[in-house]
Amino acid sequence: MKELVEVLAKALVDHPDQVQVAQTDSEKSVHLQLTVAPEDMGKVIGKQGKIANAIRTIVKAAAVKDGRRVHVDIDQ
C-alpha cells in the first residue's frame, strides 16, 4: 500500500523527488503518512479535497484484500 500511495502522489506533483511515504503497521490497520513539497500540497489535496479522498478510496480498496484498515494523512 505504501508503494501505491507513492506512485499516485508522484504522478500528481511537480517535485516527485520530494514525495515520501512513511508506514506504521499495527495488527489490523496501517497508517500511511504522505509528505510532499509545500508547493505541491494543492495538487495532492485537490479542490474541496477530492483528490485526497480519491487516493484514500483507492488505498482502502486495496487494503480490503488484506483484511486491514488504512489511514492516509497528507503533510508538507
Side-chain angles (χ1 to χ4, degrees):
M1 286 175 266
K2 177 181 176 182
E3 294 82 17
L4 177 61
V5 172
E6 193 170 340
V7 168
L8 291 171
K10 285 184 178 184
L12 294 170
V13 299
D14 289 334
H15 305 287
D17 55 319
Q18 294 185 21
V19 172
Q20 297 177 349
V21 180
Q23 180 172 331
T24 306
D25 292 324
S26 67
E27 201 171 300
K28 294 196 177 199
S29 67
V30 177
H31 182 86
L32 298 170
Q33 187 73 32
L34 172 63
T35 306
V36 297
E39 56 269 10
D40 289 330
M41 282 297 290
K43 292 179 182 173
V44 174
I45 294 173
K47 290 185 179 180
Q48 298 177 358
K50 289 185 180 181
I51 304 254
N53 286 334
I55 291 171
R56 289 182 179 112
T57 301
I58 291 168
V59 174
K60 285 180 184 179
V64 169
K65 291 181 182 180
D66 296 337
R68 302 174 92 185
R69 301 185 117 207
V70 176
H71 303 283
V72 180
D73 291 330
I74 302 169
D75 286 336
Q76 55 179 335

